[in-house]
Amino acid sequence: MKTQNPNDLRLAQLQHHRAARLAKGDPIAMPITSSASYHLPDIQDAPFLYGRNSMPTWAELESQLALLEDAPCLAFPSGMAAISAALMVGLGQGKTLVLPSDGYYVSRVFSACFLAPYGVRIIEAPILKMQDFDYSGVDVVLLESPSNPGLDLCDIAAISAKVHAAGGIVMVDNTTMTPLLQRPLDLGADVVLASDTKAPAGHSDVLFGHVASRNAAFMARVLDWRRLSGAVPGAFEAWLLHRGLETLELRLARMCASAEVIATRLLDSGLVQNLRYPGLKSDASYPLACKQMQGFGFIMGFDLPSADVAEAFLTNCPFIAQATSFGSTHSSGERRARWGDQVSPGFIRLSIGCEPVEPLWDAIFQALRQASAM
Ligand SMILES: *Cc1c(COP(=O)(O)O)cnc(C)c1O
């Protein structure tokens, strides 16, 4: 008998997750319901009260996301809306947050601008130092693995055990992986945060985010936060993400397979330095990636000799969209130093898309050769 990937059953269910609720004649494609108000002759047992509390289209999306995460999920209008909601719920005056100094920079800026002034103590540490960190007195630890953009990994299970022993909780920003490539809740983390703007929606046409957790009390507070702060997604955006999720597995399969091919060839080409891709056997993260990830992802990073060479490479390559963000059907790349990330001026983060790999590789190789001859 062939062994089943543990994701497979949920992925099959995902394509049919509305079926049990359908009445004869109901549309198979999920309808968009953007009503702000609902027929309420009385409020007892009404499934929907008012659009800021919940909407049928988010509810459908949340049940689909819950299958993927294997945990209750709440939808938010962006990744940052989800991350800020979870941090607001998990922290408060006098509490302490540890977050990566080399992770997604907007989470750091949010913490400094809005959590610190309300009396939260904020400690930044590099991803690679998280395992040896002393977590006594720490309430919330935010992890990112692989980190964006440096692609360092940390051991989510080991760190979660350590943080729990010290009385804190662990939140993982799982945006670079998605629930198909890494399952932080199964590794012992308490909360998963995600920007669905990236691979889950997958077409660069919508911002979205979600919070997932098996801690019911925590999720009740996140729901309160969404309802009371009013950080609610639109029905059309929820519909777009719902549609995107139906092809997530297929897109990821192509993207990850192509990324492995391209990373291997880049390594052999000698045209880039300090190539990072967790799926390369030579990468420092490879053993941990094999242990805690279900795939190696579609993002890689490398240095080119200067900002000019890096810009020339991106400009010369017809199949790399010059844009921030990652995880879309099209490959995209950018020089991260332009945002102030702690990387070299010629560092490129490359997100491999769904293009067939051979023309994509040819375009990358030619553009690199041209730029390197500058
Ligand atoms: C993009 C991103 C976010 C923020 O998501 P938005 O949808 O843009 O708000 C958070 N974390 C990581 C790792 C990201 O890459």
Side-chain angles (χ1 to χ4, degrees), residues 78-80 83 104 144 148 173 175 195 197-198 207-208 326:
S78 69
M80 279 317 301
I83 293 170
Y104 185 61
E144 213 179 298
N148 172 20
D173 180 339
T175 302
S195 167
T197 309
K198 314 293 166 57
L207 284 130
F208 218 92
F326 53 83

Side-chain angles (χ1 to χ4, degrees), residues 80 83-84 87-88 91 95-101 104-124 142:
M80 279 317 301
I83 293 170
S84 56
L87 293 175
M88 292 301 283
L91 293 157
K95 304 242 172 174
T96 300
L97 166 69
V98 173
L99 84 174
S101 55
Y104 185 61
Y105 75 107
V106 185
S107 301
R108 289 200 300 281
V109 177
F110 171 78
S111 303
C113 288
F114 289 99
L115 296 177
Y118 285 101
V120 176
R121 192 162 71 109
I122 292 162
I123 303 171
E124 292 184 5
L142 176 63

Side-chain angles (χ1 to χ4, degrees), residues 118-137:
Y118 285 101
V120 176
R121 192 162 71 109
I122 292 162
I123 303 171
E124 292 184 5
I127 290 286
L128 291 176
K129 294 273 159 63
M130 289 285 190
Q131 193 157 345
D132 297 322
F133 200 87
D134 176 4
Y135 290 106
S136 39

Side-chain angles (χ1 to χ4, degrees), residues 39-61:
H39 179 59
L40 280 184
D42 69 89
I43 60 174
Q44 223 59 52
D45 301 324
F48 298 99
L49 301 171
Y50 180 59
R52 188 160 27 71
N53 296 35
S54 182
M55 281 194 194
T57 315
W58 314 340
E60 293 283 12
L61 171 67

Side-chain angles (χ1 to χ4, degrees), residues 34-374:
S34 68
S35 191
S37 47
Y38 297 83
H39 179 59
L40 280 184
D42 69 89
I43 60 174
Q44 223 59 52
D45 301 324
F48 298 99
L49 301 171
Y50 180 59
R52 188 160 27 71
N53 296 35
S54 182
M55 281 194 194
T57 315
W58 314 340
E60 293 283 12
L61 171 67
E62 285 167 347
S63 81
Q64 189 197 34
L65 282 169
L67 265 171
L68 276 179
E69 294 283 11
D70 201 12
C73 290
L74 286 167
F76 281 88
S78 69
M80 279 317 301
I83 293 170
S84 56
L87 293 175
M88 292 301 283
V89 166
L91 293 157
Q93 194 180 15
K95 304 242 172 174
T96 300
L97 166 69
V98 173
L99 84 174
S101 55
D102 47 356
Y104 185 61
Y105 75 107
V106 185
S107 301
R108 289 200 300 281
V109 177
F110 171 78
S111 303
C113 288
F114 289 99
L115 296 177
Y118 285 101
V120 176
R121 192 162 71 109
I122 292 162
I123 303 171
E124 292 184 5
I127 290 286
L128 291 176
K129 294 273 159 63
M130 289 285 190
Q131 193 157 345
D132 297 322
F133 200 87
D134 176 4
Y135 290 106
S136 39
V138 173
D139 300 283
V140 174
V141 178
L142 176 63
L143 299 178
E144 213 179 298
S145 180
S147 60
N148 172 20
L151 300 178
D152 282 322
L153 266 58
C154 62
D155 189 327
I156 295 171
I159 296 170
S160 296
K162 209 171 159 180
V163 173
H164 291 157
I169 65 166
V170 173
M171 303 184 182
V172 177
D173 180 339
N174 203 33
T175 302
T176 53
M177 286 280 98
T178 85
L180 294 185
L181 301 180
Q182 178 166 268
R183 311 195 54 76
L185 299 177
D186 294 345
L187 293 168
D190 303 277
V191 181
V192 164
L193 310 169
S195 167
D196 296 306
T197 309
K198 314 293 166 57
H203 295 71
S204 297
D205 53 10
V206 64
L207 284 130
F208 218 92
H210 73 266
V211 177
S213 176
R214 293 169 186 155
N215 179 331
F218 184 88
M219 290 303 272
R221 290 280 290 162
V222 175
L223 180 60
D224 283 344
W225 168 263
R226 183 175 70 178
R227 187 169 60 81
L228 300 173
S229 71
V232 294
F236 182 61
E237 286 72 14
W239 183 85
L240 276 173
L241 176 58
H242 186 275
R243 178 173 164 139
L245 288 173
E246 292 182 344
T247 55
L248 176 61
E249 185 216 357
L250 277 171
R251 287 183 282 111
L252 280 179
R254 166 68 71 88
M255 290 155 69
C256 295
S258 296
E260 282 195 58
V261 169
I262 287 169
T264 306
R265 292 185 188 175
L266 279 176
L267 190 67
D268 293 343
S269 77
L271 290 168
V272 304
Q273 291 82 49
N274 305 323
L275 175 65
R276 294 300 307 269
Y277 178 66
L280 289 173
K281 289 199 177 62
S282 55
D283 195 282
S285 299
Y286 183 76
L288 183 52
C290 292
K291 193 175 104 180
Q292 79 177 3
M293 288 154 43
Q294 274 80 50
F296 299 117
F298 48 85
I299 303 171
M300 62 192 71
F302 50 82
D303 285 327
L304 291 174
S306 68
D308 284 348
V309 172
E311 297 288 358
F313 161 62
L314 293 171
T315 306
N316 291 345
C317 187
F319 295 150
I320 297 179
Q322 291 196 57
T324 195
S325 195
F326 53 83
S328 201
T329 50
H330 46 264
S331 295
S332 65
E334 70 167 336
R335 212 169 56 75
R336 284 302 296 184
R338 65 184 185 169
W339 298 108
D341 283 349
Q342 302 293 311
V343 292
S344 83
F347 174 85
I348 300 243
R349 183 185 67 194
L350 197 59
S351 166
I352 299 302
C354 294
E355 302 89 348
V357 69
E358 292 305 336
L360 178 60
W361 165 251
D362 282 347
I364 290 172
F365 184 61
Q366 297 305 337
L368 270 177
R369 278 226 298 220
Q370 273 178 41
S372 308
M374 272 185 15

